[in-house]
Amino acid sequence: MTPTTRPHRLAVAGCGAAAFGLHLPLLASSDAFEVVTVADRDTGRARTAAQRFAIPRVATKTRDLLDGADMLVILTGVHEDLIETALDAGTHVFTEKPVGLDVTRTRMTAARAAEAGLLLEVGAMRAHDPALHAALAAVPEPTGGWLIKADGADEAARRSLLPPGFAPYTFADDPPQSIPDHLEDHQVTALQILLWQGYHLLTSLVLGAPGATPAACTLDAAGQSIHAYLYGPHGEPYTLVIGATPPGRFLEQIHFADASDAATVDFARPYEPPGTTRVTTSSEQQDGFGDPFAAMWQATAARLSAQHPADLPTSADLAVRVEDLALALAAICRPGSFSRKEH
C-alpha cells in the first residue's frame, strides 16, 4: 500500500468459528484492511470478538453495522437478506459460501451488484488454492477423476477455536432460506449437503472440468451422504462422494487423471495450516503450499482497489456455476435404501 492509501474498512456480521479461527485473525493483522465494526445475534460473541481483535465498535442494528464500512463481511449461516441490505446501502459484500440455496436468487443478486458497480465476493477458497492449481497444471485437461470428502473433524476443530461456552454450531436458530420449490424433501437435503459440505469439491470440479453434467446422484438412507456420477464436456467420468464419518476422521481428496499423468490432492484438515496439503503426481510429491485463505483475501483487496486478477473468474460468477451444478445434482438425486440380512 502507498502512504496515501487507507485500509479498506470492513464490517463483520457473524462471530462463529470461521470468524474467530480464520477471518478475524487475518483481517485484524492485515495492512490492507481495518475491521471497524462487528456484530452477532449473540451480543456476547460480538463483544468477545471485538475485545480479542481490537475492533472499536459492536453493532446491534444493521444500520449501525454498515455505517462507515466499505465492505460488509457476512459470516452468518444465512446470507441473502444481509447481502440485499448491504447492496441497498451501496456497500460492497464479501459472503461466506454458498450465497444461498436458490441459484435463481443468487444469479439475480450477482447481476444487481454488477449493475450497481459493487463487488459481491464469495468465499470460494479453493479457487485460490495453490495446491489445486498445481494439480491442474500437471493435468490441465483431465479425462476423469474423483472428488471425496468425509469430515468428522469439523465440530472438534470449531470448539477449539471458540471461546469457552460458545456453541460450535448455531444454525438451528437461523431464519429459513429460500429453496427451489420444485425439489422434494430428500433433494433439499442433498442440495444442503452439496453446498454446505461439498462446496470446495464442486469448486474444484467446476475449475477442473468446466461443463461437467450430472448423470446420477443418490442420497444414502440416513440422509447424510451423497454419491454422484458426472460426465465432463467430452464424456469423461467423475465420481463425487460427500460422506458421513465417525468423529475425528477426515478425508478431503481430489484426483484428476489424463492419458499421461495423474494428480492427487490430499487437503489439510479443517482450520489447520495448509502446509500439510499434499499433491502427488507420477513424478513427485509436493507440500508446503501457500495459504489459499490468505490468497482469497489478497484477491479481495485487489478487487476493492480496482485491480481485478485476470486469471480467475469473478467469485460471483464462479458461485453461480457451483450453485447451478449443485442444483442439477440435487434435482436428479434419488433417496437411497438398504436392507440387512438377518442372521
Side-chain angles (χ1 to χ4, degrees), residues 100-104 177-184 188 191 327 330:
L101 297 177
D102 186 347
V103 67
T104 300
Q177 286 187 270
S178 175
I179 297 171
D181 57 13
H182 65 280
L183 297 181
E184 299 181 34
V188 172
L191 182 64
L327 178 59

Side-chain angles (χ1 to χ4, degrees), residues 86-255:
L87 296 181
D88 287 343
T91 304
H92 299 295
V93 175
F94 175 97
T95 181
E96 265 292 4
K97 44 75 178 170
V99 178
L101 297 177
D102 186 347
V103 67
T104 300
R105 184 171 178 181
T106 297
R107 189 176 282 107
M108 293 173 60
T109 302
R112 181 189 169 194
E115 289 168 4
L118 295 170
L119 295 179
L120 176 58
E121 294 293 307
V122 184
M125 184 181 68
R126 281 293 172 257
H128 304 271
D129 197 320
L132 175 62
H133 288 285
L136 294 177
V139 188
E141 297 183 5
T143 56
W146 65 74
L147 306 95
I148 301 171
K149 183 175 182 181
D151 187 353
D154 189 72
E155 181 174 350
R158 285 172 176 263
R159 287 189 185 279
S160 70
L161 297 171
L162 287 165
F166 286 4
Y169 300 112
T170 59
F171 302 138
D173 298 324
D174 287 344
Q177 286 187 270
S178 175
I179 297 171
D181 57 13
H182 65 280
L183 297 181
E184 299 181 34
D185 288 347
H186 73 277
Q187 293 172 325
V188 172
T189 299
L191 182 64
Q192 292 169 336
I193 292 172
L194 287 159
L195 287 176
W196 292 348
Q197 300 173 38
Y199 195 96
H200 292 322
L201 296 186
L202 294 182
T203 300
S204 300
L205 184 59
V206 163
L207 293 174
T213 56
C217 181
T218 301
L219 176 70
D220 76 330
Q224 296 181 334
S225 299
I226 290 289
H227 298 254
Y229 194 75
L230 305 95
Y231 289 116
H234 305 292
E236 315 93 303
Y238 293 92
T239 301
L240 172 69
V241 178
I242 306 169
T245 186
R249 298 184 185 179
F250 178 82
L251 171 67
E252 185 175 0
Q253 182 184 84
I254 65 165
H255 174 87

Side-chain angles (χ1 to χ4, degrees), residues 72-87:
L72 176 62
V73 179
I74 302 172
L75 309 180
T76 57
V78 177
H79 311 140
E80 295 100 327
D81 289 347
L82 280 170
I83 294 172
E84 295 289 344
T85 300
L87 296 181

